[in-house]
Amino acid sequence: MNHFELFGLSCQFELDGSSLSSQYRELQRRFHPDKFATASEQDKLLAVQKAAQINDAYQTLSDPVRRSEYMLSLNGIELRDEQQTMQDPEFLMQQMELREELEEIADSNEPEEKLFDFEQQVSNIHKSLLTELKKQLDDAQWSDAAATVRKLKFLVKLKQEIERIEDRLLG
């Protein structure tokens, strides 16, 4: 049973977050290991395994990048822990420029305002790639979707770096 089947969802990129959350709570309620405290050792072990499966499935499906990686793996394209390098020089140049801009922001006057604007710029790129990814997955363009996921991973790391700088500036 794949993650989508476990949650009773269609295998598609676009998910109803409230349905996912409510189904997660229901599955957790039904299979929580505490409910099997008086059961046999085998049933306890199965409950722990099922709870772990439910947690992993929820974490995967609730994150768009992980969800798309999972969908690709269901279609024979394995991206997790891959060592393939990015093949899009234009995108790589854009990433280098964005990282340089982020470094300059951290050392500038009024870094909070500039960081906010920069974060908006990166979020717009991220949203655009997610829209592109949805279409690619809906159209079963697996190799194009894999390339877009690789790009999204770069942006996720950049967004994490923005958060670190923001925390440093504010805290």
Side-chain angles (χ1 to χ4, degrees):
M1 175 180 297
N2 72 42
H3 295 345
F4 292 97
E5 292 167 344
L6 176 64
F7 282 85
L9 301 169
S10 298
C11 186
Q12 61 188 31
F13 182 71
E14 195 81 18
L15 292 181
D16 177 4
S18 62
S19 292
L20 178 64
S21 294
S22 63
Q23 187 63 13
Y24 172 70
R25 286 189 300 277
E26 173 60 24
L27 287 168
Q28 281 289 44
R29 187 188 61 73
R30 284 181 36 212
F31 294 103
H32 196 279
D34 290 348
K35 291 192 84 158
F36 295 86
T38 60
S40 69
E41 288 304 313
Q42 182 178 359
D43 287 344
K44 287 179 189 178
L45 179 60
L46 289 172
V48 168
Q49 290 172 340
K50 189 69 168 182
Q53 178 190 16
I54 292 165
N55 286 332
D56 181 52
Y58 180 74
Q59 294 302 317
T60 299
L61 295 180
S62 62
D63 177 79
V65 174
R66 288 183 64 187
R67 180 171 58 246
S68 57
E69 278 184 305
Y70 183 72
M71 288 179 70
L72 288 168
S73 74
L74 292 175
N75 288 282
I77 299 176
E78 196 60 52
L79 294 182
R80 276 196 162 187
D81 304 320
E82 77 169 355
Q83 300 300 315
Q84 184 171 335
T85 58
M86 175 64 67
Q87 299 297 319
D88 184 340
E90 187 177 312
F91 180 79
L92 289 173
M93 184 58 72
Q94 177 194 45
Q95 291 306 297
M96 287 175 44
E97 290 168 358
L98 287 171
R99 290 198 172 275
E100 287 174 9
E101 186 177 342
L102 183 58
E103 284 180 31
E104 290 171 9
I105 289 171
D107 299 330
S108 72
N109 297 338
E110 300 180 14
E112 293 91 356
E113 185 177 321
K114 290 180 180 179
L115 188 61
F116 177 80
D117 293 340
F118 182 77
E119 185 176 22
Q120 290 299 308
Q121 176 187 355
V122 171
S123 289
N124 289 337
I125 296 168
H126 187 261
K127 286 176 192 169
S128 174
L129 284 173
L130 284 175
T131 300
E132 185 178 329
L133 178 62
K134 179 194 178 312
K135 182 173 179 1
Q136 291 165 338
L137 291 170
D138 288 348
D139 294 344
Q141 297 172 339
W142 308 125
S143 60
D144 292 342
T148 302
V149 168
R150 289 180 188 105
K151 291 176 182 180
L152 279 164
K153 287 180 164 187
F154 273 89
L155 285 174
V156 166
K157 288 178 185 174
L158 183 59
K159 289 177 90 160
Q160 290 169 345
E161 186 62 29
I162 291 169
E163 288 176 15
R164 279 193 285 277
I165 291 172
E166 191 174 52
D167 288 345
R168 191 179 77 221
L169 292 173
L170 299 176

